[in-house]
Amino acid sequence: MLKHTDIFFDFDGTLFDTSEGVFKSFDYVADFYGITVEDKSIYNTMIGPPLLESFTRVFGFTNDVLPAAMAKYREYYTSQGMFECQVYEGVIDLIKALKKAGKRILVATSKPEIYARQILERKSMLELFDFVGGSDLEEKVRVNKVDVIRYVLQSAGIKDTASCLMIGDTHFDIQGANKAGLESLGILWGFGTEQTLKASGATYIAATPADVQTLLLGE
């Protein structure tokens, strides 16, 4: 049984399946700019990293276009896309069990913090978390996962990273945890793969929320 007391959760692909709303937002941008996406499975790779990075890599936007493209994305996302998501089965039970055991539960996401909080509030889940940390809205200052993790550590007053475990579904979560000095737990119900999680140096791997609960609570 693991002894961590401060449990960091990624958002997209870990707490929520956000693919419906995010993919519709990507389509909204692609349609506006006349971009044809032949294989929309590429969208899976765009959930997790910063939006600026995904738009550059997949849509080929240059720096002069990125601000307008992000604004176009958020036209759809903020009006309805961000609420087109579903919490993964077993996640709420896991969080409640961890809280009952005295663990501190935090969110560390590259999604803008304001959106993460709004979604959690809409889904009546905000009170489950001791702190919710995400990127700044412009994704300029605090966007890479290591920066978000450090922000959450500072905001929550956590001095010793040995107490912390980062739970996430992609290599961005694992690499961010490694850089911030946290152990990490890669989960297999999101958008990443076991191969990439292991290759990124995940300390532990779990297939289901029940497996995470067993690792952390021994039950």
Side-chain angles (χ1 to χ4, degrees), residues 22-170:
V22 172
F23 289 3
K24 287 180 179 178
S25 301
F26 290 155
D27 280 339
Y28 187 77
V29 173
D31 290 345
F32 179 81
Y33 285 97
I35 298 170
T36 300
V37 182
E38 298 290 351
D39 182 3
K40 292 188 179 180
S41 66
I42 190 80
Y43 285 172
N44 286 310
T45 71
M46 297 171 70
I47 295 186
L51 192 59
L52 290 170
E53 177 184 324
S54 292
F55 274 15
T56 301
R57 174 174 51 85
V58 176
F59 289 154
F61 291 140
T62 53
N63 288 337
D64 58 321
V65 176
L66 281 170
M70 288 180 65
K72 181 58 62 175
Y73 171 91
R74 286 171 176 160
E75 279 183 16
Y76 183 88
Y77 187 75
T78 58
S79 63
Q80 64 186 94
M82 67 177 173
F83 300 119
E84 295 173 325
C85 62
Q86 300 294 327
V87 63
Y88 285 105
E89 183 177 356
V91 164
I92 292 179
D93 289 341
L94 167 63
I95 293 170
K96 288 181 176 179
L98 294 175
K99 286 186 72 69
K100 184 177 180 180
K103 309 290 186 183
R104 184 157 45 169
I105 312 298
L106 312 104
V107 172
T109 176
S110 291
K111 179 189 296 296
E113 184 174 312
I114 186 173
Y115 297 157
R117 288 180 176 273
Q118 288 174 351
I119 293 168
L120 290 169
E121 186 171 22
R122 174 72 68 91
K123 301 294 184 178
S124 299
M125 291 174 60
L126 187 58
E127 68 279 1
L128 293 176
F129 298 92
D130 295 283
F131 184 78
V132 176
S135 73
D136 59 292
L137 192 57
E138 293 77 22
E139 298 191 7
K140 292 181 178 179
V141 178
R142 188 178 66 248
V143 60
N144 292 323
K145 185 53 67 92
V146 62
D147 297 323
V148 174
I149 292 173
R150 287 171 177 161
Y151 162 69
V152 175
L153 288 168
Q154 182 179 18
S155 299
I158 300 172
K159 305 293 186 182
D160 183 7
T161 58
S163 70
C164 304
L165 181 70
M166 178 72 219
I167 299 176
D169 66 310
T170 71

Side-chain angles (χ1 to χ4, degrees), residues 162-206:
S163 70
C164 304
L165 181 70
M166 178 72 219
I167 299 176
D169 66 310
T170 71
H171 66 280
F172 295 101
D173 304 307
I174 306 306
Q175 291 171 348
N178 290 342
K179 291 176 182 177
L182 278 63
E183 289 198 327
S184 58
L185 195 164
I187 54 92
L188 304 182
W189 62 80
F191 300 109
T193 66
E194 184 171 9
Q195 181 180 4
T196 58
L197 290 168
K198 287 182 175 179
S200 300
T203 319
Y204 312 97
I205 299 286

Side-chain angles (χ1 to χ4, degrees), residues 198-216:
K198 287 182 175 179
S200 300
T203 319
Y204 312 97
I205 299 286
T208 68
D211 292 335
V212 175
Q213 184 169 330
T214 299
L215 277 171
L216 283 167

